[in-house]
Amino acid sequence: MAKDTLSITDNRTGKTYEVAITDDTIRANDLRQIKVQESDFGLMTYDAGFLNTASCRSSITYIDGDKGILRYRGYPVDQLAENATYLEVAYLLINGELPTKSELDQFVSNVTHHTFVHENVRTFIDGFRYDAHPMGMLVATVGALSTFYPEAKHVLDGDIRRAQMVRLIAKMPTLAAWSYRHSMGMPFVYPNNEMSYSENFLYMMKRIAEPKFEVHPEIVRALDVLFILHADHEQNCSTNVMRGIGSSRADPYVAVAGAAAALYGPLHGGANEAVLRMLREIGSVTNIPAFVKEVKGGGGRLMGFGHRVYKNYDPRAKVIKRLADQVMDLVGKKSPLLPVAMELERIALSDDYFVSRKLYPNVDFYSGLIYEALQIPADMFPVLFAIPRTSGWLAQWEEMLLDKDQKIARPRQIYTGYDERKFVPISDRRPPAAPASHSKPRAETD
Ligand code: ACO
């Protein structure tokens, strides 16, 4: 009779073990009983980069990478992008259900009334070098908010936790916009609580001296949709960092700072910045074949292509591609890089190298072109990603804290270093005979 168990025979000893299978998963700890001698540590799994390891049980975001499915709390992301606002989606991620009208009004009001930051924050944003990268400033200032809210360390107190979640969602656009203003040498603009979340962000970033600052509502909506598409993506690199930092019970400000730092890298949220630079470097459609040849020869990666989870078209990229067209129509100018991007996509989707590796455009491939059309510099792209991802990080963080299975994140290792050695006094030390061998560095963007 079929059983939900796995039988494992250890060929070193001939012993057979039976371990439970739940949700198509075995518990790594069940392997610890597999030993040759009683004094052994027991069998471990090796999974560098977590290719096949579930680190948690989660009910927030569902992805089926082969089918190109992304759902938040069960709702397909394209339906949310079509029908909801970003704050509605943030509420959904955090609370598990879409808000009623009065719940949404209350949430929007709470967020809106926490958009201001302590005046000292502006002093230390002012202290950054004139050419500081806005993402570096965002990481530093969001971490510094920890010092303004010392009660935030009581992470097991539900009311305190929720207050910080609202604060973080509310203040990220302010910190982001101010980082931008500083990098442009422009005076800071204080939040305008008459405006919606996305409009207020554009206002704080873009206002110069207009008596009445106005952005086309469809541009505001496009930004809100981009925020929805970036709000969560289950156990990605930055979320894993958020959970990892949070697992030590650090407060959410420093945890968000760590998550944002992970997002900054070019293989994660920094990819949209890298896509734009790549498109500029290619410059024109005629240069594409040579560029693709170089990529296939191992000379770099096609940025904005490929995904650890999606082995099909990223569902977010489909929405963003449509949005890119709409935004460019609205601002009245097509980016000269759009034909380069479209031709690159066409070639890549028909080239065996990319097809056989299931490399499709990801969320970052077209988002940079939208931001460029909105005259937002490439340095700001990862910052624009961090703003909405904050709600996802916080939902995942709280889920982790309330999960009885979770403990401080602490992986094992396979030790490959020296066995015990006797200490050598400094006077007796000699340089090694041959230079220490370093493993071959990985590709620049890897
Ligand atoms: N261009 C060219 N080749 C690629 C690319 C790419 N963008 N991505 C993967 N490959 C190749 C690899 O060289 C490898 O080939 P091989 O089997 O001959 O060695 C194969 O495809 C598998 O690649 P991995 O690196 O093993 O895939 P992994 O799942 O580890 O990486 C990642 C996923 C990091 C996203 C990768 O596809 C990549 O670097 N893409 C470009 C950066 C990017 O767009 N990142 C944004 C991701 S979305 C996000 O974070 C929001």
Side-chain angles (χ1 to χ4, degrees):
M1 200 181 84
K3 282 205 287 181
D4 284 338
T5 62
L6 176 73
S7 295
I8 304 167
T9 301
D10 184 347
N11 294 324
R12 300 171 302 176
T13 60
K15 279 196 207 161
T16 297
Y17 303 81
E18 192 171 346
V19 297
I21 299 177
T22 314
D23 299 324
D24 284 336
T25 309
I26 61 164
R27 290 198 171 238
N29 230 14
D30 285 350
L31 302 179
R32 285 281 294 281
Q33 58 180 313
I34 303 177
K35 300 177 175 186
V36 175
Q37 292 167 28
E38 205 35 52
S39 59
D40 286 354
F41 181 78
L43 210 64
M44 294 192 297
T45 55
Y46 174 59
D47 190 6
F50 303 121
L51 296 179
N52 195 36
T53 295
S55 64
C56 62
R57 304 172 70 84
S58 181
S59 60
I60 300 172
T61 290
Y62 174 76
I63 300 176
D64 182 329
D66 291 328
K67 296 194 183 120
I69 292 175
L70 169 61
R71 296 180 199 136
Y72 300 156
R73 302 283 191 184
Y75 296 102
V77 76
D78 52 324
Q79 288 183 26
L80 293 168
E82 187 71 30
N83 300 297
T85 61
Y86 167 66
L87 284 186
E88 218 172 331
V89 169
Y91 183 101
L92 169 71
L93 287 169
I94 287 169
N95 295 292
E97 296 296 339
L98 284 167
T100 61
K101 170 87 173 68
S102 62
E103 285 167 340
L104 182 62
D105 288 349
Q106 186 61 55
F107 183 64
V108 171
S109 160
N110 282 350
V111 169
T112 308
H113 288 98
H114 284 88
T115 48
F116 276 70
V117 291
H118 192 286
E119 197 59 10
N120 286 2
V121 172
R122 74 176 277 162
T123 320
F124 50 72
I125 294 188
D126 257 339
F128 285 105
R129 256 176 64 144
Y130 69 95
D131 59 352
H133 194 292
M135 192 65 173
M137 290 189 262
L138 180 74
V139 167
T141 48
V142 73
L145 287 186
S146 159
T147 63
F148 293 86
Y149 306 108
E151 74 277 16
K153 64 175 175 288
H154 300 298
V155 294
L156 297 182
D157 181 315
D159 291 339
I160 291 181
R161 203 165 54 232
R162 285 292 163 133
Q164 315 320 309
M165 289 164 85
V166 166
R167 279 186 177 136
L168 271 158
I169 292 171
K171 293 179 198 312
M172 282 298 267
T174 313
L175 299 180
W178 285 13
S179 303
Y180 168 75
R181 301 289 289 202
H182 179 75
S183 65
M184 301 299 284
M186 291 164 82
F188 299 129
V189 176
Y190 285 84
N192 181 336
N193 288 355
E194 299 298 308
M195 292 181 169
S196 73
Y197 190 81
S198 299
E199 188 181 16
N200 186 31
F201 173 60
L202 286 171
Y203 166 79
M204 288 188 284
M205 238 190 4
K206 295 281 190 176
R207 176 164 194 252
I208 301 183
E210 309 85 340
K212 186 162 173 20
F213 177 86
E214 278 175 343
V215 194
H216 195 295
E218 285 188 43
I219 300 269
V220 175
R221 177 64 194 154
L223 185 64
D224 218 49
V225 170
L226 283 168
F227 282 177
I228 292 172
L229 297 175
H230 286 88
D232 194 52
H233 212 233
E234 53 116 306
Q235 305 313 312
N236 55 86
C237 176
S238 56
T239 301
N240 184 49
V241 170
M242 181 81 195
R243 282 178 171 260
I245 297 177
S247 76
S248 76
R249 307 267 160 93
D251 73 60
Y253 298 100
V254 292
V256 166
L263 187 72
Y264 194 178
L267 295 194
H268 191 11
N272 51 12
E273 186 178 347
V275 169
L276 206 72
R277 294 192 203 290
M278 173 189 77
L279 293 175
R280 284 189 188 135
E281 195 188 309
I282 296 173
S284 92
V285 169
T286 48
N287 298 331
I288 293 178
F291 180 79
V292 170
K293 192 169 168 214
E294 197 184 322
V295 167
K296 285 161 59 177
R301 289 200 162 185
L302 184 49
M303 299 312 284
F305 260 70
H307 200 278
R308 170 60 59 78
V309 179
Y310 294 117
K311 301 302 171 197
N312 198 325
Y313 214 99
D314 182 334
R316 301 166 298 176
K318 275 190 195 148
V319 181
I320 289 185
K321 193 176 175 183
R322 276 200 309 274
L323 214 56
D325 270 338
Q326 278 169 26
V327 168
M328 283 177 203
D329 284 347
L330 273 171
V331 298
K333 65 173 186 326
K334 291 270 179 206
S335 165
L337 299 179
L338 186 63
V340 179
M342 290 176 78
E343 179 62 5
L344 196 55
E345 179 184 340
R346 193 194 63 76
I347 292 183
L349 292 182
S350 54
D351 187 308
D352 189 53
Y353 175 93
F354 298 95
V355 174
S356 63
R357 288 169 178 78
K358 300 189 174 167
L359 300 170
Y360 292 89
N362 59 44
V363 67
D364 293 311
F365 194 65
Y366 284 103
S367 58
L369 288 170
I370 302 184
Y371 298 143
E372 195 206 27
L374 299 179
Q375 294 180 310
I376 297 173
D379 278 0
M380 276 297 284
F381 296 177
V383 173
L384 276 130
F385 195 155
I387 295 172
R389 184 54 62 86
T390 299
S391 59
W393 288 330
L394 291 168
Q396 300 270 353
W397 168 72
E398 187 172 61
E399 186 181 65
M400 179 272 307
L401 284 171
L402 300 179
D403 180 349
K404 299 264 179 297
D405 274 358
Q406 289 295 334
K407 292 180 180 302
I408 186 165
R410 204 314 185 177
R412 296 278 174 182
Q413 64 166 10
I414 301 170
Y415 176 68
T416 60
Y418 287 106
D419 213 341
E420 183 176 334
R421 299 199 278 177
K422 197 165 179 322
F423 180 78
V424 181
I426 197 160
S427 54
D428 296 349
R429 290 177 211 161
R430 300 282 172 267
S437 70
H438 292 292
S439 52
K440 196 167 149 274
R442 307 178 77 200
E444 193 211 328
T445 53
D446 202 349

